[in-house]
Amino acid sequence: MEQNIVKILAISDVPSKLLWDESVRKRLEGIDLILSCGDLPKKYLEYLTNFTTAPILYVHGNHDGSYKESEPGGCICVDDAVYVWKGLRIMGLGGCNRYNRDDTFQYTEAEMRRRVRKLWLAARRAGGIDILLTHAPASGLNDGTDKAHKGFQVFNDLMDQYQPKWFIHGHMHLNYGANLPRVCTRGGTTVINATERYEFEIPDPVQVPKRKLFGWG
């Protein structure tokens, strides 16, 4: 049987000029799912909903304080959740490493670990995760040296435990360093820096047999 594919658009941090104009409808043709890694204006996400039927799933970035007043209309927040879309299991963990007293979506390593523990049962019920969707990177994996851009070690632990096929994050603008890759791998996980926009394809999750973690049914 011929396998279908799903086209995903990952976005983060910087509104794309190619999507913020009259050509947006054409550029979004064929996109099945949009994943936002945070730090994007609400108006930008809401603008995109007018030109696509693809769901827009998002986590919060550290500059998304305005979201606390009202979340982006027409979009789905998957922060602190395991969200299943057409069989695709997505764990969302927004925010970045705490670097000042502003408590807007900033977390210590211990606080992020507590958030992860709260998702254990949801991940178990789903039988694992396919995508880890975050704002910050993982510690030591194309993160920064300053406190604000240091990644979380617990994200490495999640990749080791659940072995998701994809880890998608933002926060690390590609102009921060010449050696920052757009895509790399860690074990069996493809790591994508979603800054601005990045399109990729995956096998149709409805057609792909789900790998169950050992002892999980």
Side-chain angles (χ1 to χ4, degrees), residues 25 30 36 39 84 87 106 161 208 215:
R25 189 184 300 277
S36 171
D39 278 358
V84 181
Q106 295 180 30
Q161 180 178 3
V208 177

Side-chain angles (χ1 to χ4, degrees), residues 8-17 19 33-41 44-45 48 56-61 131-138 141-142 166-176 180-184 190-200:
I8 298 177
L9 171 65
I11 56 178
S12 188
D13 295 276
V14 181
S16 171
K17 293 180 180 179
L19 298 178
L33 179 66
I34 299 176
L35 300 175
S36 171
C37 295
D39 278 358
L40 288 169
Y44 178 66
L45 295 184
L48 296 181
I56 300 178
L57 313 183
Y58 69 91
V59 295
H60 300 104
I131 293 179
L132 176 59
L133 181 69
T134 72
H135 178 63
L141 188 62
N142 307 316
W166 301 275
F167 170 39
I168 306 170
H169 70 84
H171 198 47
M172 297 302 297
H173 298 218
L174 293 179
N175 60 8
Y176 285 176
L180 277 177
R182 169 68 83 176
V183 180
C184 67
T190 298
V191 182
I192 296 173
N193 183 335
T195 296
E196 189 174 339
R197 62 189 292 267
Y198 183 78
E199 291 184 23
F200 63 105

Side-chain angles (χ1 to χ4, degrees), residues 108-119 154:
T108 64
E109 179 74 34
E111 288 170 336
M112 184 61 77
R113 285 186 178 276
R114 285 196 290 271
R115 294 175 65 197
V116 168
R117 283 197 294 270
K118 290 179 180 179
L119 293 178
V154 71

Side-chain angles (χ1 to χ4, degrees), residues 24-180:
V24 57
R25 189 184 300 277
K26 183 176 181 179
R27 294 187 181 277
L28 291 179
E29 284 182 2
I31 296 296
D32 299 296
L33 179 66
I34 299 176
L35 300 175
S36 171
C37 295
D39 278 358
L40 288 169
K42 287 188 293 184
K43 288 185 177 179
Y44 178 66
L45 295 184
E46 292 171 345
Y47 175 78
L48 296 181
T49 66
N50 295 315
F51 301 98
T52 181
T53 58
I56 300 178
L57 313 183
Y58 69 91
V59 295
H60 300 104
N62 55 297
H63 296 302
D64 289 335
S66 64
Y67 284 29
K68 288 191 172 182
E69 298 175 4
S70 64
E71 300 283 336
C75 305
I76 301 170
C77 180
V78 297
D79 226 340
D80 296 298
V82 175
Y83 185 89
V84 181
W85 175 80
K86 294 187 176 181
L88 192 67
R89 304 164 297 185
I90 304 165
M91 178 182 284
L93 289 161
C96 77
N97 214 302
R98 183 176 296 281
Y99 61 92
N100 60 27
R101 294 185 178 182
D102 180 2
D103 65 355
T104 303
F105 305 117
Q106 295 180 30
Y107 307 91
T108 64
E109 179 74 34
E111 288 170 336
M112 184 61 77
R113 285 186 178 276
R114 285 196 290 271
R115 294 175 65 197
V116 168
R117 283 197 294 270
K118 290 179 180 179
L119 293 178
W120 177 82
L121 183 57
R124 177 176 180 176
R125 286 173 173 166
I129 60 173
D130 302 301
I131 293 179
L132 176 59
L133 181 69
T134 72
H135 178 63
S139 177
L141 188 62
N142 307 316
D143 60 345
T145 57
D146 62 302
K147 195 169 184 179
H149 294 91
K150 179 176 173 55
F152 289 102
Q153 176 57 39
V154 71
F155 293 167
N156 289 306
D157 298 342
L158 283 170
M159 283 185 277
D160 291 338
Q161 180 178 3
Y162 295 110
Q163 300 175 36
K165 283 289 190 181
W166 301 275
F167 170 39
I168 306 170
H169 70 84
H171 198 47
M172 297 302 297
H173 298 218
L174 293 179
N175 60 8
Y176 285 176
N179 295 323
L180 277 177

